[in-house]
Amino acid sequence: LTERLIVRQPENLSLQQEAALDANKIGQNEKTRKLVRRILPVKDVSDGILNEAIKLFDAPGSEKETSILFEQYLKRHPEYLPFRQKLAEYYLSKGENEAALEHLGYLIEHLDNNDSLLKKAGAVNLYQLGRPDRALIYFEKFIQKHPNDHEIKNIITNIQHILANDFLSIVENDGA
């Protein structure tokens, strides 16, 4: 019955949302996915539909769709850290480092146990983006918490040498 109403009133968003929830309740996953794909571009999708869509698409092979859903959810609820973590991992796996750093930065600021995130953000800036200046910020935050970590101390020393050499090149070239 709901499907017939949708055919007659394709612009009725609440009807489509209701049909998607009903299809999901009775386990018709493919029908639910089809309905959800149709209504997701609309900005007035309810949180309930968005949550159900996330559950439905959060599976191997649907990472791109899931990442879009996570982004939509975070626009409404920016403080929800589990989706930020998943997005950071997704973007890193796809080589979209700037997008990953946006989420890593938020996580670093809002999590107390952020050691691995500090190291990850530093490594991405240093090795993938070639930004030792930005990497140094993250590694220095890490070393403030763990002053005896020799590996990170060595990385910081190397970064400082890189930055000093870069600065020296700039000074020498401008002076010529």
Side-chain angles (χ1 to χ4, degrees), residues 22-84:
D22 289 344
N24 192 41
K25 283 179 189 172
I26 60 174
Q28 294 183 336
N29 291 342
E30 199 50 48
K31 182 178 283 190
T32 306
R33 282 187 186 99
K34 179 181 171 188
L35 289 166
V36 166
R37 282 187 186 108
R38 196 180 317 163
I39 60 177
L40 280 177
V42 179
K43 294 186 191 294
D44 297 332
V45 174
S46 71
D47 279 355
I49 289 289
L50 199 51
N51 284 327
E52 290 302 318
I54 288 168
K55 290 177 194 170
L56 191 65
F57 286 105
D58 193 11
S62 299
E63 292 87 357
K64 184 170 177 59
E65 288 173 314
T66 306
S67 70
I68 293 167
L69 295 171
F70 288 159
E71 291 286 4
Q72 283 184 341
Y73 188 86
L74 288 174
K75 285 179 185 172
R76 298 176 188 188
H77 308 283
E79 71 287 349
Y80 193 67
L81 301 181
F83 288 171
R84 285 197 181 276

Side-chain angles (χ1 to χ4, degrees), residues 98-166:
E98 291 288 346
L101 283 171
E102 176 186 332
H103 295 290
L104 286 173
Y106 190 93
L107 290 166
I108 287 167
E109 293 300 317
H110 292 88
L111 289 174
D112 293 330
N113 186 12
N114 61 7
D115 296 347
S116 65
L117 299 172
L118 287 166
K119 289 166 69 172
K120 191 177 289 187
V124 167
N125 275 298
L126 183 60
Y127 302 117
Q128 275 75 38
L129 298 177
R131 291 294 309 263
D133 54 324
R134 290 182 5 195
L136 185 60
I137 294 167
Y138 293 108
F139 288 129
E140 285 179 338
K141 286 181 182 180
F142 180 87
I143 210 68
Q144 286 175 352
K145 294 169 73 175
H146 305 282
N148 296 325
D149 189 308
H150 296 293
E151 178 187 356
I152 300 300
K153 280 185 178 182
N154 288 337
I155 292 172
I156 288 173
T157 301
N158 290 337
I159 291 172
Q160 289 170 336
H161 282 68
I162 291 168
L163 293 174
N165 287 335
D166 289 349

